[in-house]
């Protein structure tokens, strides 16, 4: 389904290359007084590129929600600056903040729809607040409901809609004022996996066809992997790692990132094997190696060639081929005899093929 022209023309943005939409400059946010203060954000630097989908991920209490509330001025920085499209948010008064918020759409975890208003009227609400007349509101809301696939649900109340449909209404409402930036606060956390995928596909399509910048916060690695081109990992108020989603997922450097990725990598070792894993080999042991397949190598028969190279005594213990930010990525955990000759032949094969490897340990 393509986005209707009437909706697209009203919302479309044309991102410039390497042009920042949001910049966090040495941002610190402290709650409470000096004696009993709590630092929610500690010296955060981050750039959200125009037209990109950037994910902020971290566990509960990492500072994600505080970070996103600084963007639309719902919270103010203790020190540093938050700049949105060239405007220092901290320097705005109430009039300036109201103007800025009309250019920033927001979707929420629990939808925040008014139960007494239909889908049409929920989407119309920000337009009513902006002072548009009924004819102008009707001309805009109809295409927005069509955009999110709910043209036939315009007269339905939230109680008559599924969770996914409610979130689609929320997305349409967020787009009503033709924003240049869309904030997503755990927008899929209350949805089942199938519905989550449909909402993420919608957001990805809106980004691609409208050029709309999306900044989303989540604790779900699967969400970031599916939709975000860039990601920042937060832990205890700091950004501990950031970059292209593919790079962070395929070569995480910080322990927090590795722990959060463990459940989504497809190569988690069984507990009995983890228990028996040793870091130094003994006679007769087998070596466990994680192989990483990037790009085109994810689809090449390298495992079969490895068996041919070092012999048939190779066990495959875990593995997966998946897509991260639109790029193929494969991982495989194999075990083979930890003899000097076998290891040397395997290492030659890895060097020749460019496979990335990590020795996980040794087992009897």
């Amino acid at each position: 389904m393509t986005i209707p022209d009437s909706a697209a023309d009203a919302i479309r943005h044309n991102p410039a290359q390497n042009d920042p939409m949001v910049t966090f400059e040495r941002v610190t946010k402290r709650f409470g007084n000096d004696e009993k203060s709590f630092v929610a954000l500690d010296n955060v630097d981050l750039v959200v590129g125009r037209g990109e989908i950037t994910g902020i991920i971290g566990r509960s209490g990492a500072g994600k929600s505080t970070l996103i509330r600084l963007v639309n001025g719902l919270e103010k920085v203790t020190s540093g600056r938050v700049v949105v499209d060239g405007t220092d948010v901290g320097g705005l008064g109430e009039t300036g903040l109201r103007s800025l918020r009309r250019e920033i759409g927001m979707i929420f975890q629990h939808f925040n729809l008014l139960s007494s208003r239909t889908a049409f009227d929920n989407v119309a609400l920000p337009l009513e607040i902006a002072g548009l007349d009924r004819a102008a509101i009707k001309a805009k809301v109809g295409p927005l409901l069509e955009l999110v696939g709910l043209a036939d649900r315009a007269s339905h109340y939230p109680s008559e809609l599924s969770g996914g449909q409610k979130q689609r209404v929320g997305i349409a409402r967020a787009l009503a004022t033709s924003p240049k930036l869309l904030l997503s606060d755990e927008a899929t956390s209350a949805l089942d996996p199938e519905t989550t995928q449909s909402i993420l596909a919608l957001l990805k399509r809106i980004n691609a066809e409208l050029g709309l910048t999306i900044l989303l916060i989540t604790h779900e690695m699967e969400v970031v992997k599916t939709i975000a081109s860039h990601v920042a990992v937060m832990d205890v108020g700091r950004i501990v790692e950031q970059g292209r989603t593919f790079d962070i997922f395929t070569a995480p450097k910080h322990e927090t990132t590795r722990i959060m990725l463990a459940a989504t990598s497809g190569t988690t070792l069984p507990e009995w094997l983890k228990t028996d894993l040793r870091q130094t080999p003994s006679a007769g042991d087998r070596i466990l190696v994680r192989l990483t397949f990037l790009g085109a190598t994810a689809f090449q028969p390298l495992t079969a060639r490895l068996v041919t190279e070092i012999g048939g005594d190779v066990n495959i213990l875990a593995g997966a081929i998946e897509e991260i930010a639109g790029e193929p990525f494969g991982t495989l955990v194999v075990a083979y005899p930890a003899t000097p000759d076998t290891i040397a032949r395997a290492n030659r094969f890895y060097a020749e093929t460019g496979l990335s490897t990590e020795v996980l340990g040794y087992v009897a």
Side-chain angles (χ1 to χ4, degrees), residues 191-214:
L191 304 175
D192 63 71
E194 184 178 355
T195 305
T196 291
Q197 289 303 312
S198 71
I199 293 298
L200 294 179
L202 174 61
L203 291 175
K204 197 169 183 178
R205 186 164 55 85
I206 288 170
N207 165 259
E209 297 188 22
L210 303 182
L212 187 63
T213 306
I214 300 177

Side-chain angles (χ1 to χ4, degrees), residues 46-57 182 184 207 213-217 224 227-232 242-243 245:
L46 177 66
V47 175
V48 178
R50 190 181 303 270
E52 294 176 352
I53 301 178
T54 298
I56 310 292
I57 190 161
L182 183 62
S184 170
N207 165 259
T213 306
I214 300 177
L215 175 61
L216 62 91
I217 64 172
V224 172
I227 192 175
S229 58
H230 293 74
V231 62
Q242 60 177 296
T245 301

Side-chain angles (χ1 to χ4, degrees), residues 163-182:
Q165 290 171 336
K166 290 175 186 176
Q167 194 56 283
R168 288 172 180 269
V169 174
I171 292 171
R173 180 185 57 191
L175 298 176
T177 57
S178 302
K180 52 192 172 187
L181 172 64
L182 183 62

